[in-house]
mmCIF file of all heavy atoms in Angstrom:
data_model
loop_
_atom_site.group_PDB
_atom_site.id
_atom_site.type_symbol
_atom_site.label_atom_id
_atom_site.label_comp_id
_atom_site.label_asym_id
_atom_site.label_seq_id
_atom_site.Cartn_x
_atom_site.Cartn_y
_atom_site.Cartn_z
ATOM 1 N N GLY A 1 -10.161 -7.555 -4.862
ATOM 2 C CA GLY A 1 -10.372 -7.327 -3.327
ATOM 3 C C GLY A 1 -9.090 -6.962 -2.641
ATOM 4 O O GLY A 1 -9.208 -6.072 -1.827
ATOM 5 N N ALA A 2 -8.119 -7.690 -2.852
ATOM 6 C CA ALA A 2 -6.816 -7.293 -2.238
ATOM 7 C C ALA A 2 -6.376 -5.834 -2.581
ATOM 8 O O ALA A 2 -5.885 -5.135 -1.691
ATOM 9 C CB ALA A 2 -5.655 -8.304 -2.601
ATOM 10 N N ALA A 3 -6.409 -5.495 -3.813
ATOM 11 C CA ALA A 3 -6.121 -4.122 -4.275
ATOM 12 C C ALA A 3 -6.977 -3.108 -3.540
ATOM 13 O O ALA A 3 -6.477 -2.115 -3.161
ATOM 14 C CB ALA A 3 -6.239 -3.934 -5.843
ATOM 15 N N SER A 4 -8.206 -3.405 -3.228
ATOM 16 C CA SER A 4 -9.197 -2.491 -2.688
ATOM 17 C C SER A 4 -8.825 -2.265 -1.211
ATOM 18 O O SER A 4 -8.668 -1.156 -0.751
ATOM 19 C CB SER A 4 -10.626 -2.988 -2.769
ATOM 20 O OG SER A 4 -11.475 -2.218 -2.065
ATOM 21 N N VAL A 5 -8.526 -3.373 -0.550
ATOM 22 C CA VAL A 5 -8.128 -3.338 0.915
ATOM 23 C C VAL A 5 -6.885 -2.679 1.073
ATOM 24 O O VAL A 5 -6.765 -1.809 1.963
ATOM 25 C CB VAL A 5 -8.071 -4.763 1.465
ATOM 26 C CG1 VAL A 5 -7.609 -4.739 2.930
ATOM 27 C CG2 VAL A 5 -9.510 -5.333 1.497
ATOM 28 N N LEU A 6 -5.896 -2.930 0.256
ATOM 29 C CA LEU A 6 -4.557 -2.271 0.439
ATOM 30 C C LEU A 6 -4.662 -0.864 0.024
ATOM 31 O O LEU A 6 -3.927 0.026 0.678
ATOM 32 C CB LEU A 6 -3.547 -3.015 -0.600
ATOM 33 C CG LEU A 6 -2.985 -4.297 -0.155
ATOM 34 C CD1 LEU A 6 -2.336 -5.152 -1.267
ATOM 35 C CD2 LEU A 6 -2.103 -4.163 1.091
ATOM 36 N N GLY A 7 -5.467 -0.467 -0.821
ATOM 37 C CA GLY A 7 -5.656 0.949 -1.226
ATOM 38 C C GLY A 7 -6.190 1.769 0.134
ATOM 39 O O GLY A 7 -5.708 2.827 0.377
ATOM 40 N N HIS A 8 -7.231 1.110 0.775
ATOM 41 C CA HIS A 8 -7.721 1.815 1.920
ATOM 42 C C HIS A 8 -6.679 1.816 2.974
ATOM 43 O O HIS A 8 -6.646 2.829 3.765
ATOM 44 C CB HIS A 8 -8.928 1.037 2.514
ATOM 45 C CG HIS A 8 -10.168 1.154 1.510
ATOM 46 N ND1 HIS A 8 -10.744 2.385 1.315
ATOM 47 C CD2 HIS A 8 -10.826 0.330 0.767
ATOM 48 C CE1 HIS A 8 -11.780 2.299 0.404
ATOM 49 N NE2 HIS A 8 -11.763 0.968 0.086
ATOM 50 N N LEU A 9 -5.972 0.724 3.207
ATOM 51 C CA LEU A 9 -4.947 0.868 4.193
ATOM 52 C C LEU A 9 -3.878 1.801 3.960
ATOM 53 O O LEU A 9 -3.416 2.384 4.915
ATOM 54 C CB LEU A 9 -4.253 -0.642 4.366
ATOM 55 C CG LEU A 9 -5.208 -1.738 4.976
ATOM 56 C CD1 LEU A 9 -4.381 -3.033 4.935
ATOM 57 C CD2 LEU A 9 -5.566 -1.407 6.352
ATOM 58 N N GLY A 10 -3.475 1.903 2.774
ATOM 59 C CA GLY A 10 -2.388 2.753 2.271
ATOM 60 C C GLY A 10 -2.814 4.342 2.593
ATOM 61 O O GLY A 10 -1.929 5.166 2.792
ATOM 62 N N LYS A 11 -4.032 4.570 2.478
ATOM 63 C CA LYS A 11 -4.482 5.914 2.806
ATOM 64 C C LYS A 11 -4.369 6.291 4.293
ATOM 65 O O LYS A 11 -4.211 7.432 4.626
ATOM 66 C CB LYS A 11 -6.072 6.184 2.367
ATOM 67 C CG LYS A 11 -6.198 6.183 0.971
ATOM 68 C CD LYS A 11 -7.697 6.294 0.589
ATOM 69 C CE LYS A 11 -7.916 6.383 -0.942
ATOM 70 N NZ LYS A 11 -9.384 6.473 -1.153
ATOM 71 N N ARG A 12 -4.458 5.274 5.046
ATOM 72 C CA ARG A 12 -4.425 5.474 6.514
ATOM 73 C C ARG A 12 -3.081 5.436 7.226
ATOM 74 O O ARG A 12 -2.835 5.846 8.273
ATOM 75 C CB ARG A 12 -5.329 4.479 7.237
ATOM 76 C CG ARG A 12 -6.718 4.576 6.886
ATOM 77 C CD ARG A 12 -7.605 3.783 7.810
ATOM 78 N NE ARG A 12 -7.197 2.555 8.181
ATOM 79 C CZ ARG A 12 -7.904 1.393 8.142
ATOM 80 N NH1 ARG A 12 -9.105 1.418 7.515
ATOM 81 N NH2 ARG A 12 -7.389 0.210 8.569
ATOM 82 N N SER A 13 -2.068 4.815 6.445
ATOM 83 C CA SER A 13 -0.744 4.510 6.927
ATOM 84 C C SER A 13 0.361 4.951 5.980
ATOM 85 O O SER A 13 0.336 4.250 4.899
ATOM 86 C CB SER A 13 -0.583 3.105 7.477
ATOM 87 O OG SER A 13 0.621 2.779 7.720
ATOM 88 N N ASP A 14 1.243 5.739 6.268
ATOM 89 C CA ASP A 14 2.407 6.041 5.556
ATOM 90 C C ASP A 14 3.302 4.777 5.322
ATOM 91 O O ASP A 14 3.806 4.526 4.152
ATOM 92 C CB ASP A 14 3.278 7.143 6.008
ATOM 93 C CG ASP A 14 2.501 8.508 5.945
ATOM 94 O OD1 ASP A 14 1.597 8.606 5.124
ATOM 95 O OD2 ASP A 14 2.932 9.380 6.662
ATOM 96 N N ALA A 15 3.456 4.060 6.350
ATOM 97 C CA ALA A 15 4.225 2.851 6.339
ATOM 98 C C ALA A 15 3.593 1.811 5.314
ATOM 99 O O ALA A 15 4.453 1.191 4.452
ATOM 100 C CB ALA A 15 4.485 2.190 7.646
ATOM 101 N N ILE A 16 2.349 1.580 5.450
ATOM 102 C CA ILE A 16 1.695 0.699 4.447
ATOM 103 C C ILE A 16 1.726 1.144 3.079
ATOM 104 O O ILE A 16 1.959 0.395 2.149
ATOM 105 C CB ILE A 16 0.308 0.361 4.918
ATOM 106 C CG1 ILE A 16 0.253 -0.438 6.280
ATOM 107 C CG2 ILE A 16 -0.509 -0.376 3.938
ATOM 108 C CD1 ILE A 16 -0.993 -0.767 6.888
ATOM 109 N N ARG A 17 1.472 2.373 2.887
ATOM 110 C CA ARG A 17 1.482 3.141 1.568
ATOM 111 C C ARG A 17 2.876 2.802 0.865
ATOM 112 O O ARG A 17 2.975 2.366 -0.264
ATOM 113 C CB ARG A 17 1.228 4.560 1.670
ATOM 114 C CG ARG A 17 1.287 5.292 0.326
ATOM 115 C CD ARG A 17 1.112 6.808 0.297
ATOM 116 N NE ARG A 17 -0.053 7.112 1.309
ATOM 117 C CZ ARG A 17 0.054 7.843 2.367
ATOM 118 N NH1 ARG A 17 1.134 8.286 2.785
ATOM 119 N NH2 ARG A 17 -1.070 8.130 3.099
ATOM 120 N N LEU A 18 3.937 3.003 1.633
ATOM 121 C CA LEU A 18 5.308 2.925 1.091
ATOM 122 C C LEU A 18 5.510 1.324 0.807
ATOM 123 O O LEU A 18 6.118 1.011 -0.245
ATOM 124 C CB LEU A 18 6.328 3.292 2.169
ATOM 125 C CG LEU A 18 7.773 3.196 1.693
ATOM 126 C CD1 LEU A 18 8.012 4.064 0.403
ATOM 127 C CD2 LEU A 18 8.657 3.638 2.831
ATOM 128 N N GLU A 19 5.082 0.500 1.668
ATOM 129 C CA GLU A 19 5.246 -0.933 1.475
ATOM 130 C C GLU A 19 4.488 -1.357 0.122
ATOM 131 O O GLU A 19 4.970 -2.082 -0.649
ATOM 132 C CB GLU A 19 4.639 -1.722 2.678
ATOM 133 C CG GLU A 19 4.821 -3.259 2.619
ATOM 134 C CD GLU A 19 6.195 -3.624 2.992
ATOM 135 O OE1 GLU A 19 6.935 -2.824 3.746
ATOM 136 O OE2 GLU A 19 6.585 -4.731 2.477
ATOM 137 N N VAL A 20 3.231 -0.852 0.064
ATOM 138 C CA VAL A 20 2.507 -1.268 -1.136
ATOM 139 C C VAL A 20 3.161 -0.727 -2.456
ATOM 140 O O VAL A 20 3.314 -1.395 -3.362
ATOM 141 C CB VAL A 20 1.014 -0.643 -1.064
ATOM 142 C CG1 VAL A 20 0.243 -0.803 -2.333
ATOM 143 C CG2 VAL A 20 0.223 -1.426 0.053
ATOM 144 N N LEU A 21 3.542 0.485 -2.502
ATOM 145 C CA LEU A 21 4.064 1.140 -3.611
ATOM 146 C C LEU A 21 5.432 0.502 -3.965
ATOM 147 O O LEU A 21 5.677 0.332 -5.169
ATOM 148 C CB LEU A 21 4.255 2.642 -3.435
ATOM 149 C CG LEU A 21 2.772 3.455 -3.351
ATOM 150 C CD1 LEU A 21 3.037 4.879 -3.116
ATOM 151 C CD2 LEU A 21 1.948 3.213 -4.568
ATOM 152 N N GLN A 22 6.146 0.192 -3.046
ATOM 153 C CA GLN A 22 7.483 -0.541 -3.277
ATOM 154 C C GLN A 22 7.138 -1.969 -3.960
ATOM 155 O O GLN A 22 7.886 -2.322 -4.901
ATOM 156 C CB GLN A 22 8.306 -0.661 -2.026
ATOM 157 C CG GLN A 22 8.911 0.586 -1.578
ATOM 158 C CD GLN A 22 9.774 0.400 -0.338
ATOM 159 O OE1 GLN A 22 9.500 -0.566 0.419
ATOM 160 N NE2 GLN A 22 10.630 1.352 0.011
ATOM 161 N N TRP A 23 6.218 -2.575 -3.385
ATOM 162 C CA TRP A 23 5.891 -3.956 -3.864
ATOM 163 C C TRP A 23 5.400 -3.818 -5.345
ATOM 164 O O TRP A 23 5.799 -4.595 -6.203
ATOM 165 C CB TRP A 23 4.823 -4.606 -3.051
ATOM 166 C CG TRP A 23 4.570 -6.076 -3.385
ATOM 167 C CD1 TRP A 23 5.169 -7.158 -2.855
ATOM 168 C CD2 TRP A 23 3.659 -6.600 -4.414
ATOM 169 N NE1 TRP A 23 4.732 -8.331 -3.543
ATOM 170 C CE2 TRP A 23 3.782 -7.968 -4.446
ATOM 171 C CE3 TRP A 23 2.799 -5.917 -5.335
ATOM 172 C CZ2 TRP A 23 3.069 -8.719 -5.364
ATOM 173 C CZ3 TRP A 23 2.157 -6.761 -6.218
ATOM 174 C CH2 TRP A 23 2.224 -8.075 -6.159
ATOM 175 N N LEU A 24 4.582 -2.874 -5.607
ATOM 176 C CA LEU A 24 4.077 -2.596 -6.989
ATOM 177 C C LEU A 24 5.176 -2.361 -7.895
ATOM 178 O O LEU A 24 5.225 -2.884 -8.982
ATOM 179 C CB LEU A 24 2.984 -1.622 -7.006
ATOM 180 C CG LEU A 24 1.613 -1.879 -6.259
ATOM 181 C CD1 LEU A 24 0.846 -0.607 -6.207
ATOM 182 C CD2 LEU A 24 0.964 -2.988 -6.896
ATOM 183 N N GLU A 25 6.133 -1.616 -7.477
ATOM 184 C CA GLU A 25 7.279 -1.150 -8.242
ATOM 185 C C GLU A 25 8.184 -2.379 -8.580
ATOM 186 O O GLU A 25 8.673 -2.601 -9.715
ATOM 187 C CB GLU A 25 8.009 -0.031 -7.622
ATOM 188 C CG GLU A 25 9.166 0.432 -8.493
ATOM 189 C CD GLU A 25 9.855 1.555 -7.786
ATOM 190 O OE1 GLU A 25 10.776 1.300 -7.043
ATOM 191 O OE2 GLU A 25 9.426 2.744 -7.975
ATOM 192 N N GLN A 26 8.245 -3.263 -7.561
ATOM 193 C CA GLN A 26 9.238 -4.517 -7.670
ATOM 194 C C GLN A 26 8.522 -5.640 -8.474
ATOM 195 O O GLN A 26 9.167 -6.647 -8.830
ATOM 196 C CB GLN A 26 9.631 -4.858 -6.388
ATOM 197 C CG GLN A 26 10.590 -3.942 -5.691
ATOM 198 C CD GLN A 26 10.809 -4.273 -4.289
ATOM 199 O OE1 GLN A 26 10.304 -5.222 -3.730
ATOM 200 N NE2 GLN A 26 11.528 -3.464 -3.672
#
């Protein structure tokens, strides 16, 4: 569920996309 919501948020916001991808990398 968290992955799904974050995926949708990341599509709408460059800042959230970057935050999510950095977290996943770390």
Side-chain angles (χ1 to χ4, degrees):
S4 177
V5 172
L6 285 165
H8 290 298
L9 291 176
K11 286 180 182 179
R12 298 193 318 233
S13 166
D14 290 340
I16 293 175
R17 180 182 312 119
L18 182 60
E19 186 78 24
V20 170
L21 294 176
Q22 285 177 342
W23 188 92
L24 293 171
E25 186 176 89
Q26 294 170 359

